[in-house]
Amino acid sequence: MITPLRGSCRAEGGERRGTTLIPGEVRWITASGPVRVGATPPFGSTFELAYVQLPTAILGEAAQPVVADSSQSSRFPSLKARDLHLATLLCALVRARETGASDQYATSAARYLGAYLLSPHIAENRRPGGLDPAQLRAVITHMKENLHDNITLDQLAKEAGVSRFHFLRRFSASVGETPLQHLTRIRVSSACHLLAIDDEPVSQVGRRCGFPRPENFTRVFRKWVGCAPSQYRDRIRRNPGHG
């Protein structure tokens, strides 16, 4: 897996055309053969890249007992996705390695990554009463791409193609939490990533993630993370391997 920590880059190889990546976007490399990574125009610009290799055995371990082998890695729906939580994890792993984290830390992190990567695909086995995989993907994609907007239940229900009443019940059956709870989870995860990599004011980070009022951003962030956004930024930059 590769993701830019700062700047943007272009990855070529393993698919028909190259892919431009910006911070927050992750590319999985599952095909054989080399992948070349370089700067994007203007070519004098610089970037910092995180590269994390996950052993196939870890995927196999994470996949049990739901699937028979680790070939599930070939089922990733895309070689590129915007996943702020995963990008933050990769950033933390790189920083932890730089600060001399133990092998035990690396093993635990690898197992978590394996479980995280496979969980969306395991969840595609539709739960009784839940949304089908295509509906669920459409809803979550809409959430991620419109975090700064005032996302309503009616909008999400429209993405799923069902009534508001049925959407609320079926979404909760699919993911185990309400649409609002899941949206808040994504927003807080996105805020964590931006606080870790950007220097913009905390209030601006909150607005970008759908919290227009700073006091509301601080209250919700503290509830989910256990500290204020400014404290989180200070902590992860002092000790990036343990954000």
Side-chain angles (χ1 to χ4, degrees), residues 21-54:
L21 298 172
I22 62 175
E25 294 180 337
V26 179
R27 177 171 170 183
W28 295 279
I29 303 171
T30 57
S32 60
V35 173
R36 183 174 57 189
V37 180
T40 55
F43 292 105
S45 60
T46 60
F47 65 92
E48 184 181 4
L49 184 73
Y51 167 79
V52 175
Q53 184 175 0
L54 193 64

Side-chain angles (χ1 to χ4, degrees), residues 54-77:
L54 193 64
T56 303
I58 293 292
L59 289 175
E61 178 183 330
Q64 297 296 336
V66 179
V67 294
D69 55 54
S70 59
S71 63
Q72 288 289 333
S73 61
S74 65
R75 294 183 59 213
F76 293 152

Side-chain angles (χ1 to χ4, degrees), residues 28 105 165:
W28 295 279
Y105 176 91
F165 173 77

